[in-house]
Amino acid sequence: MKNKIKVVGVDADDTLWVNQPYFDDAENTYASIMAPYISEDKLLRELLNTQSRNIPIYGYGVKSFVLSMIETACLLSHNKIDAASIQSIIKIGKDIFSKQVELLDHVDDVLKNLKERYRLILMTKGDLLDQKRKLHQSRLKNHFHHVEVMSNKAEEDYAAVFKRNAIVAEEFMMIGNSMKSDIIPVLNLGAYAMHVPYHATWVHEVSQEDLEHPKLLRAESIKAIMNIL
Amino acid sequence: MKNKIKVVGVDADDTLWVNQPYFDDAENTYASIMAPYISEDKLLRELLNTQSRNIPIYGYGVKSFVLSMIETACLLSHNKIDAASIQSIIKIGKDIFSKQVELLDHVDDVLKNLKERYRLILMTKGDLLDQKRKLHQSRLKNHFHHVEVMSNKAEEDYAAVFKRNAIVAEEFMMIGNSMKSDIIPVLNLGAYAMHVPYHATWVHEVSQEDLEHPKLLRAESIKAIMNIL
C-alpha cells in the first residue's frame, strides 16, 4: 500500500481540530432557551429533521445550523417564541464562530511528516469563510499542498476533486472521522481510507460504523498513519 | 493588450446572471413585514449596518443576508417582532435560493468564444453551495477551464488565486459589474479590468464608480469584450 499511495487527503473538523463538541454545547444552550416550550429530546429530534430538510438548500456549517434552529424554534413553540430568544439563538452561532481553533493531538507533527513524502490535500466541507478562518488560526495552511472546501462530500464530489487535481483513486488515501463523509465515498471510488473516530459524532454523519473493507484501516489516533505511510 | 492577455476572469452575479434584483425584491418584502415597527428607509439603513458588521463573521450570500435581516428585525422592533414574521423572513431567503437562474444577454456566446482563445476562470463570491447550484442551472460550467468560489474579493484574495493558478497579473483581465470587488483589486495588482455595470448594485459594492485608470475599460454589455480580445 505504501508504494501505491501518492496523494493523501485529510478531513478537518474533528480530524485535525475540535468541532462537534461546540455544536453539542450549542444544542444544550438551545435546549435551555426552548425549555419553556418543549423537552430537549423532542426538540433535538425535530432540529435534526429541519437540518436534514434544509441541507440541500443551505449546505453545511454554522449559518445553516442557526437558521435551522430558528426555524425549529418557531415551529415547535407554535410561534410563541419571543424575539429575545431568537437573538439568543443567533448569539449561539456567533459564539461558535468566535471559538479559538483547538488542534487534536499529534496533528502538527503528522502533517509535517506526510507533506515531505506525499501530495497532501485538506478536504473539508462547511462554510467557506469559516473554514478559511479556522485554517488560518490553526497555522496548518503551509502543511498542505492544496486546500479543497467542498459543498458536500458524496462520491460525486470526491470524483470531481480527483478529476480537477488529476488524482488517481487507487493512489489516494483519505483520513477522517466520518464514515459517511470521509470513508465510504472514497472506498466506493477505489481509494484507501483511514477512519480515526472522534468521541463526538453528529447523528447526521453516522453511517455503517462497523463496515469491513480491504482498503479500510482503522486507528485510535491520526498518529497511527506513521506506521503505515 | 490583446497580445498580452492570456487569462480572463469573469464574475458571476449580475455579470453572467441576474442577482441583485432578487435581493432588492427581498428587501421590499422585508420592509412590508417590518412596516408595523419602522419605516423602510430606516430599516434598510440599519440592515446595511448589521450586514457590514456581520460580513467579517458570516461572509457573503443568502444565509448571511437572512441572519442579518432577523437580527435587525429583533433590534428595530425592540424584540416585539413575532415568530410568524421571523418565519416569513426565513421564507424570503428560501425563495431566493429557489429562483431559476436567468442569464444576461450575450453571455453564452461570449464565453464560448473566449474559452477557445483564453484560459477562462469563473471568479465568484458567496455561498459555496448556492454558487454551485446556479452554475449547474446556468449550463455554463463547461465554458470555464476553472471555477473559483472566493470567500471575499479583496486584493489579497485575488493575489492568492493568481499564485495558486500560476497567473501573471499583467496577463490577466477581469470582467465584472462591481468596481469594489471585480475591478479595483485587480487593477491594484497590475491586471486589466473591464467594468460592465448592471442596473442594480448593492450599496455595499458601490466604490469609486468614476475611476479612471489606463488598464480599465468600460462597456455597456459583456458583448463589447469581443471588440477587444
Side-chain angles (χ1 to χ4, degrees):
Chain A
M1 181 196 316
K2 194 172 174 170
N3 298 329
K4 276 194 187 160
I5 290 167
K6 292 183 181 165
V7 186
V8 177
V10 187
D11 170 55
D13 291 340
D14 298 322
T15 298
L16 300 183
W17 52 62
V18 178
N19 180 62
Q20 184 58 32
Y22 302 150
F23 283 81
D24 292 344
D25 289 349
E27 288 187 349
N28 287 337
T29 309
Y30 179 51
S32 68
I33 294 167
M34 292 296 290
Y37 307 103
I38 195 143
S39 72
E40 177 158 355
D41 239 38
K42 282 187 188 162
L43 175 70
L44 298 185
R45 204 163 50 233
E46 195 52 41
L47 175 60
L48 188 65
N49 287 337
T50 309
Q51 287 177 292
S52 302
R53 219 167 43 233
N54 283 340
I55 279 170
I57 310 166
Y58 291 154
Y60 293 86
V62 180
K63 286 175 287 185
S64 176
F65 176 58
V66 174
L67 286 169
S68 287
M69 283 195 289
I70 294 172
E71 184 177 328
T72 307
C74 294
L75 286 172
L76 291 186
S77 72
H78 302 286
N79 282 341
K80 289 200 178 67
I81 185 104
D82 58 300
S85 301
I86 299 288
Q87 287 209 60
S88 302
I89 296 170
I90 289 177
K91 189 172 174 302
I92 292 175
K94 291 195 175 173
D95 286 347
I96 299 180
F97 279 125
S98 74
K99 294 275 185 206
Q100 288 301 303
V101 168
E102 197 181 329
L103 288 192
L104 299 181
D105 290 344
H106 312 297
V107 159
D108 196 68
D109 288 345
V110 167
L111 294 180
K112 261 187 208 154
N113 184 303
L114 284 177
K115 197 198 174 182
E116 288 170 17
R117 296 175 297 123
Y118 298 91
R119 200 167 138 213
L120 199 60
I121 305 182
L122 183 71
M123 297 167 93
T124 176
K125 71 184 176 193
D127 279 330
L128 194 57
L129 184 64
D130 190 35
Q131 292 296 356
K132 205 175 133 183
R133 169 188 73 80
K134 290 191 280 192
L135 185 58
H136 177 78
Q137 261 191 29
S138 73
R139 297 168 182 261
L140 295 178
K141 196 177 171 187
N142 290 330
H143 293 40
F144 293 96
H145 294 98
H146 180 61
V147 175
E148 287 277 349
V149 181
M150 301 158 74
S151 60
N152 196 11
K153 279 180 158 183
E155 213 173 302
E156 70 212 55
D157 304 292
Y158 282 101
V161 171
F162 287 2
K163 195 177 165 196
R164 193 161 55 241
N165 295 282
I167 295 167
V168 178
E170 288 72 17
E171 299 173 350
F172 178 81
M173 175 181 273
M174 182 74 194
I175 306 171
N177 71 300
S178 165
M179 288 299 290
K180 183 181 173 191
S181 296
D182 303 317
I183 309 300
I184 295 168
V186 305
L187 290 176
N188 287 343
L189 289 168
Y192 294 86
M194 188 170 95
H195 186 222
V196 186
Y198 189 60
H199 65 84
T201 307
W202 183 26
V203 186
H204 190 82
E205 292 290 335
V206 173
S207 178
Q208 303 181 56
E209 296 300 306
D210 51 5
L211 177 75
E212 290 188 31
H213 188 287
K215 288 187 170 181
L216 169 60
L217 309 168
R218 290 174 181 280
E220 295 286 308
S221 159
I222 198 169
K223 202 182 173 184
I225 196 77
M226 294 291 92
N227 303 323
I228 298 161
L229 293 185
Chain B
M1 182 194 316
K2 193 173 177 172
N3 297 330
K4 277 193 187 161
I5 290 167
K6 292 181 180 166
V7 186
V8 177
V10 187
D11 170 57
D13 290 340
D14 299 322
T15 297
L16 300 183
W17 51 63
V18 177
N19 180 63
Q20 185 56 34
Y22 302 149
F23 283 80
D24 292 343
D25 289 350
E27 289 188 347
N28 287 337
T29 309
Y30 179 52
S32 69
I33 294 167
M34 292 295 290
Y37 307 103
I38 194 141
S39 72
E40 177 157 356
D41 239 38
K42 282 186 187 164
L43 175 72
L44 297 184
R45 204 161 51 229
E46 195 52 40
L47 174 61
L48 188 65
N49 287 337
T50 309
Q51 288 176 293
S52 302
R53 219 165 45 233
N54 283 340
I55 279 170
I57 310 167
Y58 291 154
Y60 293 88
V62 180
K63 287 175 287 185
S64 176
F65 176 58
V66 174
L67 285 169
S68 288
M69 281 196 290
I70 294 172
E71 183 178 327
T72 307
C74 293
L75 286 172
L76 291 186
S77 72
H78 302 286
N79 283 341
K80 289 202 178 66
I81 185 104
D82 59 299
S85 301
I86 300 288
Q87 287 208 62
S88 303
I89 295 170
I90 289 177
K91 188 171 177 300
I92 292 176
K94 290 193 175 173
D95 285 348
I96 299 180
F97 280 124
S98 74
K99 295 275 183 203
Q100 290 301 304
V101 168
E102 196 181 329
L103 289 191
L104 300 183
D105 289 344
H106 312 296
V107 159
D108 197 68
D109 289 344
V110 167
L111 294 180
K112 261 187 210 153
N113 183 304
L114 284 178
K115 197 198 174 183
E116 288 170 17
R117 296 175 296 123
Y118 298 91
R119 200 166 140 215
L120 198 60
I121 306 181
L122 183 71
M123 298 167 93
T124 175
K125 72 183 176 193
D127 279 330
L128 194 56
L129 183 65
D130 190 36
Q131 292 295 357
K132 205 174 131 180
R133 169 187 74 80
K134 290 191 280 190
L135 185 58
H136 177 78
Q137 261 192 29
S138 73
R139 296 167 183 262
L140 295 179
K141 196 177 172 187
N142 291 330
H143 293 41
F144 294 96
H145 293 99
H146 181 60
V147 175
E148 288 277 348
V149 181
M150 302 159 74
S151 59
N152 195 11
K153 280 180 156 181
E155 211 173 304
E156 70 213 55
D157 303 292
Y158 281 101
V161 171
F162 287 3
K163 195 178 164 194
R164 193 161 56 242
N165 295 284
I167 295 168
V168 177
E170 288 71 18
E171 298 173 351
F172 179 81
M173 176 181 271
M174 182 74 194
I175 305 171
N177 72 299
S178 165
M179 287 298 290
K180 183 183 173 190
S181 296
D182 303 318
I183 308 300
I184 294 167
V186 305
L187 290 177
N188 287 343
L189 289 167
Y192 294 85
M194 189 170 94
H195 187 222
V196 187
Y198 190 60
H199 65 83
T201 307
W202 183 25
V203 185
H204 191 81
E205 292 290 336
V206 172
S207 177
Q208 303 181 54
E209 296 301 307
D210 50 5
L211 177 77
E212 289 188 30
H213 188 288
K215 288 186 170 181
L216 170 60
L217 309 168
R218 292 174 179 279
E220 295 287 309
S221 159
I222 198 170
K223 201 180 174 185
I225 196 75
M226 293 292 92
N227 304 323
I228 298 161
L229 293 185

